[in-house]
């Protein structure tokens, strides 16, 4: 117990998630050994890429406090991909498709930030409204139909692998998490984010530009969602207006499982990535075991409660 008490919050969360991941793999091995294959690993990491990018933006917004949350990430993923495809059909050079997708996500995220910082709308309400607006617009612009025509040169990146690991996971998700971790730990900007989440009033008193930083974080969340939209285009070969469905809740669950405090100021991005892989592994395993979707949702919810309770007990011990 003394060793457990000595673990810091993020380290404890990682230890718990690693143990749960071993349990999930062990159960899957016992119940269906054939499910544990290289193809399954590739599938898990492929599905993890989009969720990981959305969850990273979600985690950074929550970490900065101020009741921060971004419920629009799913709609942003869908709409950024659709806007980029519509621009392509309108005559935009194909080489600009990745840039268009990322810029669209950035602008959508900055709009969220303006609602929160300039108009002082509660983040929960602001991003819930934009979630419906972005998701509805993606469906309205396409009539709910996929948009084909993704350039062929983009598909090998979206579907390719290196040693069984999908290229988007290696070249987009992992670098984003590494960079975010470095910024949070080793830069003044990272210290500003933690300070804002820990005590926003004190952060303002010491001169931290709270509103500007929060605006940029919402923009960053949107940009990461735009990258996720780009991954979906390169993977499926078409723009799907519902590709971001349920990402808002799954990204929030991953952030909480990964040790991000709901009121901000505590947590790290490493746990978020681990939580994403755990969630996708669990859902993939349950799918292969033909477990009903209703039970899948219940099991993920129980897992979230378990990890939060363990984290709360660790705080009391410390």
């Amino acid at each position: 117990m003394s060793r457990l008490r000595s673990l810091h919050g993020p380290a404890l969360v990682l230890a718990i998630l690693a143990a749960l991941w071993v349990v999930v793999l062990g159960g899957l091995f016992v119940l269906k050994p054939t499910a544990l294959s290289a193809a399954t690993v590739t599938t898990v990491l492929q599905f993890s890429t989009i969720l990981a990018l959305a969850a990273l933006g979600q985690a950074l917004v929550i970490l900065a406090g101020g009741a921060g949350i971004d419920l629009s990430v799913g709609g942003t993923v869908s709409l950024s991909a659709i806007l980029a495809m519509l621009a392509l059909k309108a005559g935009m050079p194909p080489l600009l498709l990745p840039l268009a997708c990322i810029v669209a996500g950035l602008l959508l995220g900055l709009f969220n930030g303006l609602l929160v910082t300039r108009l002082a709308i509660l983040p929960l309400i602001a991003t819930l409204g934009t979630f419906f607006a972005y998701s509805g617009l993606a469906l309205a612009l396409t009539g709910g139909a996929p948009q084909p025509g993704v350039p062929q040169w983009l598909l090998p990146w979206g579907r390719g692998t290196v040693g069984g690991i999908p290229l988007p996971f290696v070249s987009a998700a992992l670098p984003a998490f590494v960079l975010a971790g470095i910024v949070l730990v080793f830069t003044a900007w990272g210290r500003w984010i933690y300070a804002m989440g820990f005590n926003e009033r004190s952060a303002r008193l010491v001169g931290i530009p709270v509103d500007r930083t929060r605006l940029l974080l919402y923009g960053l969340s949107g940009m990461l969602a735009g990258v996720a939209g780009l991954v979906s285009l390169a993977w499926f070969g078409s723009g799907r207006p519902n590709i971001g469905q349920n990402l808002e809740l799954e990204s929030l669950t991953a952030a909480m499982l990964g040790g991000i405090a709901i009121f901000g100021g505590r947590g790290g991005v490493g746990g978020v990535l681990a939580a994403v892989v755990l969630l996708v592994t669990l859902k993939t395993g349950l799918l292969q075991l033909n477990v009903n979707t209703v039970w899948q949702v219940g099991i993920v919810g129980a897992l979230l409660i378990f990890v939060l309770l363990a984290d709360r007990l660790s705080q009391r011990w410390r």
Side-chain angles (χ1 to χ4, degrees):
M1 182 174 290
S2 61
R3 179 174 298 181
L4 184 61
R5 289 178 180 176
S6 66
L7 288 173
H8 296 291
L12 177 60
V13 170
L14 285 174
I16 294 173
L17 290 174
L20 289 174
W21 191 64
V22 171
V23 170
V24 171
L25 291 180
L28 191 59
F29 177 76
V30 171
L31 297 173
K32 192 173 183 180
T34 56
L36 296 178
S37 63
T40 301
V41 174
T42 302
T43 301
V44 167
L45 294 179
Q46 188 74 285
F47 278 103
S48 295
T49 303
I50 294 176
L51 176 57
L53 291 166
L56 177 58
Q58 182 81 263
L60 293 174
V61 169
I62 296 174
L63 196 58
I69 194 171
D70 189 357
L71 294 180
S72 72
V73 287
T76 303
V77 171
S78 298
L79 185 55
S80 61
I82 292 302
L83 290 177
M85 288 303 298
L86 293 179
L88 183 65
K89 290 185 176 183
M92 181 186 70
L95 288 176
L96 294 181
L97 180 65
L99 181 62
C101 208
I102 295 171
V103 170
L106 173 63
L107 294 177
L108 294 174
L110 287 174
F111 181 70
N112 287 334
L114 289 173
L115 292 178
V116 172
T117 60
R118 297 294 185 266
L119 299 182
I121 300 176
L122 188 68
L124 176 67
I125 303 302
T127 59
L128 181 62
T130 54
F131 159 71
F132 285 114
Y134 297 166
S135 300
L137 187 57
L139 291 171
L141 291 174
T142 61
Q147 301 299 298
V150 174
Q152 290 297 312
W153 55 264
L154 192 58
L155 301 183
W157 174 71
R159 300 171 180 175
T161 60
V162 176
I165 302 177
L167 281 176
F169 187 83
V170 175
S171 59
L174 278 182
F177 273 86
V178 170
L179 182 59
I182 292 173
V183 169
L184 287 175
V185 175
F186 297 108
T187 69
W189 206 58
R191 290 190 288 273
W192 287 357
I193 294 173
Y194 280 111
M196 289 165 54
F198 185 75
N199 191 320
E200 182 172 320
R201 178 178 174 82
S202 297
R204 291 182 184 276
L205 291 175
V206 298
I208 294 176
V210 171
D211 290 338
R212 186 175 64 190
T213 302
R214 182 161 290 130
L215 173 64
L216 291 175
L217 287 174
Y218 274 101
L220 182 59
S221 178
M223 186 178 72
L224 289 168
V227 177
L230 175 63
V231 171
S232 74
L233 292 178
W235 183 14
F236 296 110
S238 63
R240 301 189 178 186
N242 63 342
I243 188 61
Q245 186 176 5
N246 294 329
L247 274 182
E248 61 285 341
L249 296 180
E250 290 183 357
S251 64
L252 181 60
T253 301
M256 297 297 98
L257 281 175
I260 302 295
I262 187 62
F263 296 111
R266 183 171 57 86
V269 295
V272 177
L273 182 58
V276 167
V277 176
L278 173 64
L279 284 173
V280 177
T281 301
L282 179 60
K283 292 179 65 177
T284 302
L286 293 174
L287 186 64
Q288 295 196 6
L289 294 174
N290 296 319
V291 176
N292 189 284
T293 305
V294 175
W295 284 104
Q296 292 183 31
V297 175
I299 291 172
V300 171
L303 180 63
L304 174 60
I305 293 173
F306 172 77
V307 173
L308 292 177
L309 285 176
D311 185 50
R312 177 61 61 88
L313 288 175
S314 72
Q315 292 181 47
R316 291 184 178 181
W317 288 337
R318 290 197 298 271

